[in-house]
Amino acid sequence: MPFGDPKFTVVNPSPDVDMVLKSLRFSDWLSAAALSGGSWAYGYMFGKPTRMACANTGLMIGMTAASMLVAQNSRARLRGYRENAKEVKMHGAWPVQPELKQMGTIRNPIATGTASPLIKPPLNWKNYD
């Protein structure tokens, strides 16, 4: 995940697995099915002596990769790093939102820190001896 402030509304800054799985979209399920099916086809095409064993192994590897991919995309939407209008409507916005800083234009950027104190708090040097 990026270290900067999120560009969209934060739904939950630290979502658990249940919330991540409940907020999967149809496109997430479709990409998981496509990645799993493509991995099965790859294993079948290139596993000549034992096609079905290689295809099933490819399917398991593809399902593992697909589950990590859809969980990462769903978590990014809940944390505000991707477009999340449906999640905001379904779960509501988090009460404390990070402050969005004026970034300027691409040609004339404004030098600001990339993260607000809510996302990345400043170091407390008093704890060190």
Side-chain angles (χ1 to χ4, degrees):
M1 289 290 168
F3 290 107
D5 286 339
K7 304 294 182 235
F8 300 98
T9 306
V10 176
V11 176
N12 189 346
S14 181
D16 57 350
V17 177
D18 289 337
M19 189 172 194
V20 168
L21 293 178
K22 287 177 184 175
S23 64
L24 289 178
R25 293 182 178 179
F26 181 72
S27 61
D28 293 331
W29 290 108
L30 190 63
S31 63
L35 185 59
S36 300
S39 299
W40 184 89
Y42 181 83
Y44 185 81
M45 286 188 295
F46 292 107
K48 183 152 186 177
T50 56
R51 287 193 188 272
M52 290 308 289
C54 291
N56 291 336
T57 303
L59 176 68
M60 289 299 113
I61 293 171
M63 287 176 70
T64 304
S67 66
M68 288 190 261
L69 176 73
V70 299
Q72 178 180 356
N73 288 343
S74 179
R75 185 175 167 93
R77 282 194 302 270
L78 290 172
R79 295 181 70 200
Y81 290 106
R82 288 179 175 246
E83 185 276 321
N84 61 357
K86 292 180 183 178
E87 285 78 10
V88 171
K89 188 189 298 183
M90 185 182 348
H91 300 291
W94 194 254
V96 179
Q97 295 289 323
E99 57 189 51
L100 295 177
K101 298 179 181 178
Q102 179 68 26
M103 298 303 286
T105 62
I106 294 174
R107 186 171 181 100
N108 298 317
I110 299 170
T112 61
T114 57
S116 65
L118 289 172
I119 301 297
K120 187 176 179 184
L123 293 175
N124 183 5
W125 294 102
K126 295 178 182 175
N127 292 337
Y128 295 102
D129 294 325

